[in-house]
Amino acid sequence: MTGSDASPSFRLAYVPGVTPTKWVRIWHERLPDVPLTLVAVSADEAPGMLRSGDADAGFVRSPIDRTDLSAIPLYTETTVVVVPKDHAVAAVDEVTAEDLADDIVLHPLDDTLEWEQLPGLPAIERPASTADAVELVAAGVGVLVVPQSLARLHHRKDLTYRPVSDAPVSRVALSWPEDATTDLVEQFIGIVRGRTVNSTRGRPAQEQPKGKRPGADEARRKTSGKKTSGGKTSGGKTAAGKSSAGKSSGGRTAGKAVGNAAGKRPRSGSAGPKGRQGKPRRSS
């Protein structure tokens, strides 16, 4: 079977602390015929896996060398300090790096935080991994400053953690080889960015048949019906009103004329043909 005949698939790398479950579920809903394979990888190895083609895309931690990798920043994590439950830090809600000045602060080799100056006292040697450092914290050797997702990943009942307000932060991004931005990569970018299935940059939407929109005729009929009904009603009322008003007005006018003719009496002596009449003289 040649490469062109092979069924499409998608390989997604992710570093510790990242939970891709939600995006994977949406992928399976939208592209059920394209299997997605998850590949767990350390933060240091993730860029090399993308460059070698062992993964099509991956969730990685900053910093990212963008010489040949594209990346979309997703979110920034809170940085916390992991301590035993009986440690003084457990009694407060938040600390600063200065509050850890008297503690041995473990600095594992896979630490992803970019420190200008490490807080606290240095350990004799660096733990090989964050998991090893957590074990040393449980043993009372020191404390550990990590992104919150890693503190949750390595949770233990005898440990707790608190935010460190002025510590550097860890940023998570989706990355892929710049020269391998395939259609499947675009599909996954759309899922991560929250695009809908009908987005122009997501999965192609089914074309709507040309012609009138569904329900357009019905909407026009309703609109036309309202206008016609309104016209008849208002027209009828207006015509009737005007007719009634005309009749009423005409009746009042006619009545006034009749009243004036019947009720107005002529002046004394004015009956009959017009002529000069004076006042009666007294007999002498």
Side-chain angles (χ1 to χ4, degrees):
M1 181 179 290
T2 63
S4 59
D5 295 332
S7 300
S9 61
F10 192 75
R11 293 158 299 177
L12 179 65
Y14 67 101
V15 298
V18 175
T19 306
T21 308
K22 176 181 69 174
W23 299 303
V24 172
R25 175 179 54 80
I26 297 174
W27 174 277
H28 289 315
E29 291 174 355
R30 296 187 184 180
L31 293 92
D33 297 331
V34 181
L36 186 151
T37 303
L38 289 173
V39 183
V41 63
S42 68
D44 290 338
E45 296 173 346
M49 177 172 283
L50 295 174
R51 291 188 176 97
S52 66
D54 292 331
D56 298 295
F59 293 107
V60 301
R61 292 188 182 275
S62 61
I64 302 167
D65 182 4
R66 300 205 180 193
T67 304
D68 54 355
L69 294 178
S70 297
I72 299 174
L74 297 180
Y75 56 88
T76 300
E77 287 199 62
T78 300
T79 301
V80 301
V81 57
V82 181
V83 298
K85 283 191 172 180
D86 58 356
H87 194 282
V89 167
V92 298
D93 295 330
E94 185 180 82
V95 297
T96 63
E98 183 63 26
D99 295 328
L100 307 175
D102 297 331
D103 288 288
I104 294 176
V105 178
L106 303 169
H107 186 213
L109 295 175
D110 62 354
D111 185 17
T112 59
L113 299 175
E114 295 184 293
W115 294 95
E116 293 183 2
Q117 182 178 358
L118 288 170
L121 304 173
I124 297 176
E125 61 180 335
R126 297 181 64 182
S129 66
T130 299
D132 292 338
V134 171
E135 294 296 327
L136 293 175
V137 173
V141 175
V143 300
L144 174 65
V145 181
V146 291
Q148 184 171 328
S149 65
L150 292 180
R152 290 176 175 172
L153 178 65
H154 300 287
H155 172 71
R156 290 174 54 115
K157 292 182 179 180
D158 54 346
L159 301 180
T160 187
Y161 58 84
R162 294 292 183 271
V164 183
S165 60
D166 56 352
V169 295
S170 176
R171 294 178 175 84
V172 175
L174 174 66
S175 183
W176 66 95
E178 187 175 6
D179 59 354
T181 309
T182 64
D183 290 341
L184 292 180
V185 170
E186 285 285 4
Q187 292 281 4
F188 195 75
I189 292 171
I191 290 173
V192 170
R193 282 186 161 176
R195 296 178 191 145
T196 64
V197 68
N198 293 326
S199 170
T200 55
R201 295 188 64 183
R203 191 175 186 179
Q206 295 181 352
E207 293 185 1
Q208 294 290 340
K210 293 182 180 180
K212 297 179 181 180
R213 292 176 299 174
D217 291 338
E218 185 179 353
R220 290 193 187 97
R221 285 197 299 270
K222 289 182 178 180
T223 305
S224 177
K226 288 181 179 180
K227 289 181 179 179
T228 304
S229 174
K232 287 182 177 180
T233 303
S234 61
K237 287 184 177 179
T238 305
K242 287 183 178 180
S243 177
S244 175
K247 290 180 181 180
S248 176
S249 175
R252 287 196 299 270
T253 305
K256 186 176 180 181
V258 172
N260 288 342
K264 188 175 180 181
R265 296 179 180 179
R267 291 184 179 179
S268 175
S270 62
K274 292 183 179 180
R276 184 176 180 183
Q277 294 184 359
K279 296 181 179 179
R281 295 180 180 178
R282 294 181 180 177
S283 58
S284 55

